[in-house]
């Protein structure tokens, strides 16, 4: 599965300026694992030491918060977009 | 006059990450580049602080506390916001079983009738400091009203994003000021996520996204005013509605700042948070006692506080627990009763969030959280004329009479029979 990860500007200094990254895997967690392996500096801003989503970002798969769909176990489909947004906003 | 032309008069303070402690220069950025934690303004600990007398001699606005607001120099916009009435309500003290009760009445806040005027006053001056020529927000309604009104007066274009199901009063009370108002199909949480992306894309001052570090500090002025209006002392308990969770944390910060400045003495008040049962992620976090907020999909008529994924939820729960307070949620039916009870006892017409606050206070009293000697302040954060839909079907319909004295006499006779 090829998935597009969209990153907030604040994280692009960890990806040589790239705003989007292609990732692959069967679940959101697989895709994050794949991207984390290729961008080691970005890895700790995607997942914590236990392998759970990093607490200061929220993951949206095609605009839906993955915490409502199974978290990192959420199944992805070819062409899906995974949007990463800083968690501290609004209110 | 544009914001850029007047920018040198006001400067924003530098920032420090609440999570990792990294410091950075002032910027329209709310997220730490290192850890993505929230940035907070960094005040000069050696700055000169005013005495009670000096503060009391200043104009009755939130700027009388400017030493605790995140700007240096002279603010430019919204100079007359703040200093709303603190109204004692003896009948509510009886109902809550406490010594005294006050309503902090931001339902009459200038200019847009909610406490969001305070945070926007801080944010719009930060926008001026940075020379930003456009402001905006993601809003459940009150913030939309405040940004639209204050941007109009400042002469700044505004982009305002709201859920598409808001009350008529919230929509009209925004669009009348002529902003770019956009209604998004979805919940506030959808709007908020979109605005985080919008702030990333455009160089605007989104007050509760990239200006959030400065914006949030405006909430502290509720605490400062309560302390001053009580005669430079603190209540023992404060009840506040929770949406994103910022207000309750900033109340605690404000009380602590006045204590450490020596302006008041004693203990910081116990903080109590209120939510609607149909969207109560912070109440449930307080009840569970862990640190992991579980987001919810809101289902309540209390739309102004219907945030299922509150950014400050964990911080709010921590502030509440550390203060010795607690949290409660109430049904939509009970919040409507709360609106009516506040109107009938305090003469204050509040919106749904205010109904949640009073109904939650009653629930907290029922479950033994208050003491007989308590002095309780209820934070009434918005105006009931904005959410009249909430009262549909719950008020007595007024009789319609012919213009004849005899008919009035009959009615009065029936009414007096009824009341005896």
């Amino acid at each position: 599965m090829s998935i597009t990860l969209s990153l907030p500007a604040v994280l692009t200094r960890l990806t040589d300026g790239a705003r989007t990254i292609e990732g692959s895997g069967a679940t959101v967690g697989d895709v994050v694992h794949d991207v984390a392996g290729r961008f080691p500096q970005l890895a700790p801003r995607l997942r914590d030491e236990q392998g759970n989503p990093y607490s200061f970002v929220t993951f949206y798969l095609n605009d839906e918060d993955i915490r409502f769909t199974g978290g990192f176990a959420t199944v992805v489909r070819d062409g899906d977009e995974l949007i990463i947004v800083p968690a501290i906003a609004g209110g | 006059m544009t914001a850029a032309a007047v920018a040198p008069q006001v400067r924003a303070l530098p920032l420090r990450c609440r999570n990792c402690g990294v410091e950075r220069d002032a910027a329209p950025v709310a997220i730490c580049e290192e850890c993505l934690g929230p940035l907070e303004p960094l005040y000069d600990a050696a700055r000169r602080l005013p005495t009670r007398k000096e503060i009391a001699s200043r104009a009755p606005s939130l700027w009388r506390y400017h030493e605790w607001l995140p700007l240096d120099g002279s603010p430019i916009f919204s100079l007359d916001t703040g200093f709303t009435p603190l109204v004692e309500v003896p009948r509510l003290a009886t109902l809550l079983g406490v010594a005294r009760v006050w309503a902090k009445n931001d339902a009459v806040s200038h200019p847009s009738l909610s406490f969001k005027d305070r945070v926007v006053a801080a944010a719009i001056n930060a926008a001026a400091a940075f020379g930003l020529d456009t402001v905006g927000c993601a809003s459940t309604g009150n913030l939309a009203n405040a940004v639209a009104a204050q941007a109009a007066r400042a002469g700044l274009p505004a982009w305002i994003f709201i859920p598409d199901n808001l009350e008529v009063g919230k929509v009209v009370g925004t669009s009348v000021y002529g902003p770019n108002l956009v209604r998004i199909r979805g919940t506030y949480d959808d709007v908020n996520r979109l605005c985080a992306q919008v702030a990333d894309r455009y160089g605007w001052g989104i007050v509760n996204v990239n200006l959030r570090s400065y914006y949030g500090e405006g909430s502290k002025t509720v605490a400062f005013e309560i302390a001053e209006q009580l005669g430079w002392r603190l209540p023992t308990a404060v009840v506040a509605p929770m949406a994103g969770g910022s207000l309750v944390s900033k109340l605690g910060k404000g009380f602590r700042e006045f204590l450490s400045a020596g302006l008041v003495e004693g203990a910081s008040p116990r903080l109590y948070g209120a939510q609607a049962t149909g969207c109560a992620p912070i109440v449930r976090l307080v009840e569970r006692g862990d640190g992991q907020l579980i987001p919810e999909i809101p289902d309540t008529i209390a739309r102004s506080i219907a945030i299922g994924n509150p950014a400050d939820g964990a911080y709010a729960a921590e502030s509440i627990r550390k203060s010795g307070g607690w949290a409660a949620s109430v049904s939509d039916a009970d919040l409507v009763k709360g609106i009516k009870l506040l109107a009938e006892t305090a003469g204050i017409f509040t919106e749904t969030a205010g109904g949640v606050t009073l109904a939650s206070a009653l629930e907290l009293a029922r479950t033994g959280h208050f003491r007989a000697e308590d002095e309780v302040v209820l934070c009434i954060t918005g105006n009931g004329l904005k959410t009249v839909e909430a009262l549909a079907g719950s008020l007595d319909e007024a009789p319609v009479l012919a213009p004849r004295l005899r008919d009035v006499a009959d009615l009065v006779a029936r009414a007096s029979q009824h009341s005896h």
Side-chain angles (χ1 to χ4, degrees), chain B residues 5-6 26 51 111 128 156 178 181 191 210 241 249 256 286-287 360 375-376 398:
Chain B
V6 292
T51 62
L156 296 173
L181 177 62
V191 177
N210 54 328
S249 310
R256 285 194 303 278
V286 170
E287 289 171 347
S360 294
E375 297 190 321
V376 180

Side-chain angles (χ1 to χ4, degrees), chain B residues 251-302:
Chain B
L251 284 169
K253 186 178 182 190
F255 291 128
R256 285 194 303 278
E257 287 179 343
F258 262 26
L259 280 164
S260 88
L263 290 167
V264 290
E265 294 173 351
S268 200
R270 305 188 320 271
L271 302 171
Y272 293 91
Q275 295 197 293
T277 304
C279 183
I282 307 176
V283 174
R284 291 177 182 119
L285 181 56
V286 170
E287 289 171 347
R288 281 198 312 276
D290 60 53
Q292 195 67 39
L293 184 123
I294 300 173
E296 300 182 4
I297 295 173
D299 180 17
T300 171
I301 61 169

Side-chain angles (χ1 to χ4, degrees), chain B residues 275-279 298-303 305-306 329-340 352-353 355-356 359 390-391 394:
Chain B
Q275 295 197 293
T277 304
C279 183
D299 180 17
T300 171
I301 61 169
R303 295 193 176 97
I305 52 171
S329 66
V330 294
S331 68
D332 285 0
D334 283 346
L335 82 83
V336 171
K337 288 181 194 160
I339 292 173
K340 290 168 69 176
T352 47
V356 166
L391 295 170
S394 65

Side-chain angles (χ1 to χ4, degrees), chain B residues 6-59:
Chain B
V6 292
Q9 294 181 26
V10 62
R11 294 172 303 281
L13 295 188
L15 298 164
R16 178 168 58 197
C17 178
R18 181 171 178 168
N19 184 53
C20 74
V22 161
E23 296 179 10
R24 62 159 300 152
D25 293 341
V29 172
I31 303 292
C32 173
E33 286 185 352
E34 298 301 320
C35 74
L36 308 191
L39 296 171
E40 293 192 325
L42 184 56
Y43 294 85
D44 178 1
R47 72 195 186 285
R48 186 187 171 279
L49 296 176
T51 62
R52 291 177 179 179
K53 195 173 167 189
E54 284 172 278
I55 293 171
S57 70
R58 294 173 178 172

Side-chain angles (χ1 to χ4, degrees), chain B residues 29-267:
Chain B
V29 172
I31 303 292
C32 173
E33 286 185 352
E34 298 301 320
C35 74
L36 308 191
L39 296 171
E40 293 192 325
L42 184 56
Y43 294 85
D44 178 1
R47 72 195 186 285
R48 186 187 171 279
L49 296 176
T51 62
R52 291 177 179 179
K53 195 173 167 189
E54 284 172 278
I55 293 171
S57 70
R58 294 173 178 172
S61 82
L62 56 78
W63 298 109
R64 69 205 266 121
Y65 312 110
H66 68 82
E67 286 87 350
W68 293 273
L69 290 170
L71 301 153
D72 272 340
S74 302
I76 297 158
F77 301 129
S78 305
L79 302 183
D80 35 26
T81 287
F83 223 70
T84 58
L86 184 72
V87 179
E88 185 158 13
V89 196
R91 275 180 282 165
L92 287 182
T94 305
L95 285 172
L96 293 176
V98 299
R100 298 176 79 177
V101 169
W102 293 263
K104 179 60 175 162
N105 188 13
D106 275 7
V108 292
S109 169
H110 176 76
S112 74
L113 308 177
S114 91
F115 97 106
K116 290 294 189 183
D117 286 324
R118 300 174 183 277
V119 283
V120 174
I124 202 164
N125 282 288
F130 295 124
L132 301 173
D133 59 7
T134 301
V135 294
C137 65
S139 175
T140 59
N142 280 322
L143 181 58
N145 296 171
V147 169
Q150 295 188 44
R153 187 176 176 195
L156 296 173
W159 279 89
I160 292 173
F161 297 83
I162 57 174
D164 67 343
N165 68 347
L166 291 190
E167 302 91 342
V168 172
K170 295 276 172 73
V171 178
V172 172
T174 303
S175 50
V176 69
Y177 302 105
N180 300 288
L181 177 62
V182 186
R183 298 164 68 205
I184 302 297
R185 279 188 295 276
T187 65
Y188 172 80
D189 298 294
D190 296 315
V191 177
N192 194 44
R193 188 260 303 158
L194 177 66
C195 271
Q197 295 178 281
V198 166
D200 231 17
R201 172 72 63 92
Y202 302 97
W204 300 339
I206 305 291
V207 298
N208 55 344
V209 181
N210 54 328
L211 294 178
R212 197 172 190 276
S213 310
Y214 301 101
Y215 158 96
E217 293 288 280
S219 291
K220 295 188 308 190
T221 61
V222 178
F224 300 153
E225 291 177 19
I226 289 170
E228 183 179 353
Q229 290 170 320
L230 285 177
W232 299 105
R233 62 193 192 90
L234 298 177
T236 59
V238 177
V239 188
M242 299 189 292
S246 174
L247 174 59
V248 75
S249 310
K250 296 290 185 178
L251 284 169
K253 186 178 182 190
F255 291 128
R256 285 194 303 278
E257 287 179 343
F258 262 26
L259 280 164
S260 88
L263 290 167
V264 290
E265 294 173 351

Side-chain angles (χ1 to χ4, degrees), chain A residues 7-11 13 19 45 54 56-58 60 63 65 67-68 83 85-91, chain B residues 19 31 33-38 116 188 192-193 196-197 200 208 212 215 295-297 307 309 311 315:
Chain A
L7 296 170
V10 68
L11 289 181
R13 68 190 182 92
R19 291 294 296 262
R45 299 294 164 257
Y54 180 55
F56 285 115
V57 297
T58 307
Y60 298 87
D63 295 336
D65 187 334
R67 288 173 294 180
F68 293 114
I83 302 168
V85 177
I88 300 295
Chain B
N19 184 53
I31 303 292
E33 286 185 352
E34 298 301 320
C35 74
L36 308 191
K116 290 294 189 183
Y188 172 80
N192 194 44
R193 188 260 303 158
Q197 295 178 281
D200 231 17
N208 55 344
R212 197 172 190 276
Y215 158 96
E296 300 182 4
I297 295 173
I307 299 183
N309 181 26
Y315 291 124

